[in-house]
Amino acid sequence: MSTKTKRFILPESEIPTAWYNIVADMKNKPLPVLNPGTKQPLKAEDWYPLFAKDLADQEMNQTDRFIEIPEEVRELYKCYRSTPLVRAYGLEKALDTPAHIYFKNESVSPVGSHKLNSALAQAYYCKKEGTTNITTETGAGQWGAALSYAANAFGLELAVYMVKISYEQKPYRRSIMQTYGAQVIASPSMSTKAGRKILTEHPNYQGSLGTAISEAIELAMQTPNCKYTLGSVLNHVSLHQTIIGLEAEKQMAMAGEYPDIVIACFGGGSNFSGIAYPFLRHKISGEKDTRFIAAEPASCPKLTRGVFQYDFGDEAGYTPLIPMFTLGHDFAPANIHAGGLRYHGAGAIISQLKRDNLIEAVDIMQLDSFKAGILFAQTEGIIPAPESSHAIAATINEALKAKEEGKQKTILFNLSGHGLIDMTAYDAYLSDDLTNYELSDEIIKANTCKLEKLI
Ligand SMILES: *Cc1c(COP(=O)(O)O)cnc(C)c1O
């Protein structure tokens, strides 16, 4: 009988009490976010109409390496944290690899993904300053579900614009949000100017995160005592997610290992940032030479094939200009089932880290992601979210490379969520109804060449 430890859990007293702000350690700071009208760098005050003040201040904070997690948020974290660090012995065996594979299991949160880590923090800061209503958008429904849970926990009214294709493909995520008491609207909708405009031009438009963001911002600006919240891309969201990597660092130490490679799937970058930044600080300081790999869908490859430019975070152009790797704010990604990865850009911090070659990115084909997800389900027992399967596919590639090279590598990946509410996607794959999407250079160029004139 083997007595090898499989799961590593931290006692409550060891759960980190502060988030890690990587910007304080970055030698090259991200370029400033700009006001689209004046082209001047934004100040924290410029965000106040849209976001809770504390969140706006976190967004702009370049000096504090650690930011304390409020007591109220830590109490709610205790409902599911620490999340387990798991050694994937089953997957290692199936791959016959010398690599040691670990995953951080964020799927154990009550809503099934990492998104709750930031949702709780954002709802807390909104409540603290007296906000009564919040709005947001959601792609696959994971962020909306997390924020619904958090809004309910802090007694806030929430309106969620859900990308239409997901609203139809994932009705149970909508039910989850409604169960927690949120109002859910399919986007594009006729309830906002941005929605009406796109529906008039493209009546059959299936929606995108960019459009849903425009609608949620518009509603927040028009509703008294209302703030907007975002589930990814921005610095403060990544900050909250660092609880993942800070825990994982302690748990890897319990396992007596340190990762050679850290991998996460990449939509707007929040779960990647969350697991990567705490380890990345030891690379910036020169102590470690870990590789960091962001796994994107081949149909939405902003980090590998996008351009680095100032661009809007949303379709309609309501947000400030963000220095980002982008496919263009009106890029319409293919209707892949990993809805959470269908976003046109990467955040300002990630984009700078990529320019500085501190992180890498790979593109994963849809069919390869499902194949990897199914192997993971059959070897580790957890059905992964289609988004997370991109990280699994990238992990398998690295583990097989290690086997080829005959090298022992320690690989850590983030299991950002489970796929139990994504079974229509698995059905489609299992009945051979899914395809890969190739994206031509011409399409990318047609979308990104318009960006130059923004600055
Ligand atoms: C939202 C989501 C993602 C993608 O968003 P990031 O901000 O890039 O992390 C990945 N996995 C799951 C399970 C999600 O819900």
Side-chain angles (χ1 to χ4, degrees):
M1 267 302 278
S2 151
T3 55
K4 295 180 289 190
T5 307
K6 177 141 178 90
R7 290 163 92 243
F8 300 88
I9 312 250
L10 298 173
E12 254 177 34
S13 60
E14 284 292 314
I15 300 176
T17 57
W19 296 299
Y20 171 59
N21 178 21
I22 193 171
V23 186
D25 284 337
M26 285 169 69
K27 292 181 181 118
N28 299 324
K29 305 293 183 206
L31 296 180
V33 167
L34 303 181
N35 176 313
T38 65
K39 306 280 152 71
Q40 291 304 303
L42 241 59
K43 299 195 223 32
E45 303 88 275
D46 297 324
W47 290 109
Y48 293 170
L50 200 56
F51 295 119
K53 181 172 172 305
D54 287 306
L55 296 169
D57 292 342
Q58 288 175 0
E59 185 64 26
M60 306 300 280
N61 189 320
Q62 300 205 331
T63 47
D64 299 318
R65 296 184 71 223
F66 285 93
I67 294 175
E68 196 184 321
I69 305 174
E71 184 74 48
E72 290 85 343
V73 175
R74 274 157 55 194
E75 274 308 306
L76 288 160
Y77 276 177
K78 280 188 201 162
C79 297
Y80 63 101
R81 310 209 68 87
S82 69
T83 62
L85 176 82
V86 185
R87 174 85 182 264
Y89 289 113
L91 180 61
E92 287 173 17
K93 188 161 171 237
L95 298 173
D96 187 26
T97 173
H100 294 183
I101 303 175
Y102 291 83
F103 64 93
K104 180 72 168 153
N105 186 2
E106 289 295 306
S107 83
V108 302
S109 92
V111 295
S113 81
H114 70 287
K115 295 267 183 7
L116 198 52
N117 301 330
S118 185
L120 288 169
Q122 293 190 44
Y124 165 78
Y125 288 116
C126 288
K127 182 69 180 183
K128 185 182 157 216
E129 68 172 35
T131 296
T132 54
N133 292 61
I134 53 178
T135 73
T136 200
E137 74 294 324
T138 194
Q142 295 269 29
W143 169 245
L147 195 65
S148 301
Y149 175 106
N152 178 62
F154 286 104
L156 295 163
E157 294 290 327
L158 167 64
V160 182
Y161 285 94
M162 183 172 190
V163 176
K164 190 183 278 171
I165 175 114
S166 298
Y167 188 91
E168 285 156 8
Q169 278 179 353
K170 299 172 194 287
Y172 292 132
R173 283 258 163 62
R174 163 166 42 94
S175 314
I176 291 171
M177 292 185 255
Q178 290 165 337
T179 298
Y180 288 123
Q183 185 198 351
V184 188
I185 308 126
S187 167
S189 77
M190 295 300 281
S191 71
T192 63
K193 227 165 59 191
R196 283 192 297 275
K197 177 164 185 288
I198 200 146
L199 278 178
T200 311
E201 288 163 11
H202 311 279
N204 295 322
Y205 189 52
Q206 290 297 291
S208 72
L209 265 184
T211 307
I213 294 175
S214 304
E215 293 205 273
I217 291 180
E218 197 180 315
L219 181 65
M221 298 310 276
Q222 287 170 357
T223 309
N225 226 0
C226 184
K227 287 285 188 279
Y228 166 71
T229 66
L230 187 63
S232 186
V233 186
L234 294 175
N235 304 351
H236 66 268
V237 184
S238 296
L239 172 77
H240 304 149
Q241 294 296 351
T242 58
I243 185 90
I244 302 173
L246 291 165
E247 283 181 1
E249 198 185 356
K250 292 185 175 190
Q251 291 164 309
M252 290 297 295
M254 287 167 81
E257 301 217 57
Y258 193 91
D260 298 301
I261 308 174
V262 175
I263 298 175
C265 66
F266 197 95
S270 77
N271 92 93
F272 175 82
S273 310
I275 194 147
Y277 291 173
F279 291 99
L280 196 47
R281 79 187 196 273
H282 304 300
K283 179 164 174 159
I284 292 175
S285 71
E287 296 156 75
K288 299 280 185 192
D289 194 23
T290 309
R291 289 174 59 209
F292 298 89
I293 303 175
E296 329 178 282
S299 57
C300 196
K302 52 254 170 190
L303 286 172
T304 52
R305 296 174 67 196
V307 296
F308 180 74
Q309 266 294 353
Y310 272 103
D311 195 9
F312 292 107
D314 68 319
E315 158 98 41
Y318 290 162
T319 70
L321 289 170
I322 303 172
M324 48 159 62
F325 277 95
T326 177
L327 295 164
H329 61 274
D330 51 5
F331 175 75
N335 293 335
I336 57 164
H337 279 270
L341 306 185
R342 297 174 76 243
Y343 183 71
H344 67 273
I349 299 176
I350 288 281
S351 295
Q352 186 60 45
L353 294 169
K354 176 77 170 47
R355 290 177 83 201
D356 290 341
N357 290 320
L358 286 164
I359 65 163
E360 309 164 37
V362 293
D363 296 341
I364 305 290
M365 287 289 188
Q366 172 157 267
L367 295 180
D368 293 334
S369 74
F370 275 94
K371 191 170 162 220
I374 284 177
L375 178 64
F376 185 75
Q378 292 178 354
T379 53
E380 293 296 324
I382 302 169
I383 296 182
E387 290 85 357
S388 315
S389 294
H390 290 70
I392 298 170
T395 298
I396 291 172
N397 290 343
E398 289 300 325
L400 292 176
K401 216 181 289 170
K403 174 176 167 180
E404 227 165 77
E405 295 168 356
K407 283 194 188 134
Q408 194 279 305
K409 294 267 186 216
T410 300
I411 306 173
L412 167 64
F413 79 87
N414 192 42
L415 184 71
S416 52
H418 68 66
L420 292 176
I421 305 156
D422 302 286
M423 296 316 291
T424 38
Y426 279 86
D427 271 352
Y429 176 76
L430 293 168
S431 50
D432 256 339
D433 241 2
L434 287 189
T435 51
N436 283 329
Y437 291 95
E438 306 275 2
L439 195 58
S440 70
D441 290 337
E442 287 68 40
I443 290 181
I444 293 179
K445 208 146 165 231
N447 263 281
T448 52
C449 69
K450 294 181 262 181
L451 295 176
E452 253 88 358
K453 52 184 183 291
L454 290 175
I455 41 170

